[in-house]
Amino acid sequence: MPSDIHLLRSNAELILPTEKEPYYHITMTNASKTCSVFIAATKPFPNLLAIHPKHPEWNSMKAQPKDYVLTIHSEHCECASWAKTPTEFFERWQHIHQFLRRQASDDAAQAFYSVLTEYETSEAVAHASLVASLGLGIQVPECYIPLVREFGAPALVEALPVEEEDEDTLSLVFPRLEF
């Protein structure tokens, strides 16, 4: 486990489930206190298998980004451009979460495991924290530096050490998104 994995927990404020909203949320604010992200990290997705794709209500049954992500940004903030709208934030969050879930070497769940004893819950909350950190320009654990080049806010990207690497290095670590 990376020694700085605790950053995923210390960067985020964990909001426990309530009777009205029985799932975990995280909220995070950037260093200048001008931008915030609120994520319903463990809110279940609608069961699209329960309705046929040709049914008129199928599209309305899909997960709506605004039901999972709330973003608040100042007019001239330094956040990643994708982090400024719920739809783009949601897409990156789900892409990163699904990719990292398949990586046996990903230890993100350890950041919240002392508080959240269920592995999948801890993992979902940690990945939400990671994506919020990338978008808001907050330091991430060193093991996620390859994600900074693709998804990090400008300040995070600029702080990276200059390295000589070929074009394919990042794609081997993390597949590029096509939007």
Side-chain angles (χ1 to χ4, degrees), residues 124-174:
V125 170
H127 289 162
S129 174
L130 170 63
V131 175
S133 296
L134 289 166
L136 293 172
I138 299 170
Q139 182 183 1
V140 298
E142 194 172 313
C143 59
Y144 297 112
I145 294 301
L147 296 177
V148 172
R149 294 193 196 294
E150 175 104 9
F151 301 105
L156 284 177
V157 175
E158 290 169 9
L160 289 174
V162 177
E163 295 179 359
E164 291 293 323
E165 65 177 335
D166 61 80
E167 286 281 321
D168 295 329
T169 303
L170 185 59
S171 62
L172 292 174
V173 177
F174 193 87

Side-chain angles (χ1 to χ4, degrees), residues 6 8 17 33 53 56 58 93 113 135 140:
H6 67 88
L8 297 177
K33 308 284 187 223
W58 192 77
W93 168 39
Y113 203 66
V140 298

Side-chain angles (χ1 to χ4, degrees), residues 38-175:
F38 183 80
I39 305 169
T42 61
K43 182 176 182 177
F45 290 115
N47 182 1
L48 292 178
L49 297 176
I51 189 167
H52 193 276
K54 292 185 179 181
H55 191 279
E57 293 180 17
W58 192 77
N59 279 331
S60 66
M61 292 285 294
K62 290 181 181 178
Q64 301 299 313
K66 65 180 177 41
D67 294 336
Y68 294 85
V69 176
L70 172 66
T71 61
I72 302 168
H73 293 275
S74 65
E75 189 175 336
H76 300 290
C77 71
E78 296 284 324
C79 297
S81 60
W82 58 263
K84 296 179 182 180
T85 66
T87 300
E88 289 187 61
F89 191 102
F90 183 82
E91 288 172 353
R92 269 43 168 216
W93 168 39
Q94 289 306 300
H95 180 72
I96 291 170
H97 177 58
Q98 293 305 317
F99 176 80
L100 291 176
R101 287 189 75 182
R102 292 187 296 268
Q103 304 303 311
S105 62
D106 182 47
D107 288 327
Q110 298 303 317
F112 287 91
Y113 203 66
S114 63
V115 177
L116 308 172
T117 55
E118 184 180 304
Y119 181 83
E120 286 189 12
T121 300
S122 183
E123 180 183 60
V125 170
H127 289 162
S129 174
L130 170 63
V131 175
S133 296
L134 289 166
L136 293 172
I138 299 170
Q139 182 183 1
V140 298
E142 194 172 313
C143 59
Y144 297 112
I145 294 301
L147 296 177
V148 172
R149 294 193 196 294
E150 175 104 9
F151 301 105
L156 284 177
V157 175
E158 290 169 9
L160 289 174
V162 177
E163 295 179 359
E164 291 293 323
E165 65 177 335
D166 61 80
E167 286 281 321
D168 295 329
T169 303
L170 185 59
S171 62
L172 292 174
V173 177
F174 193 87

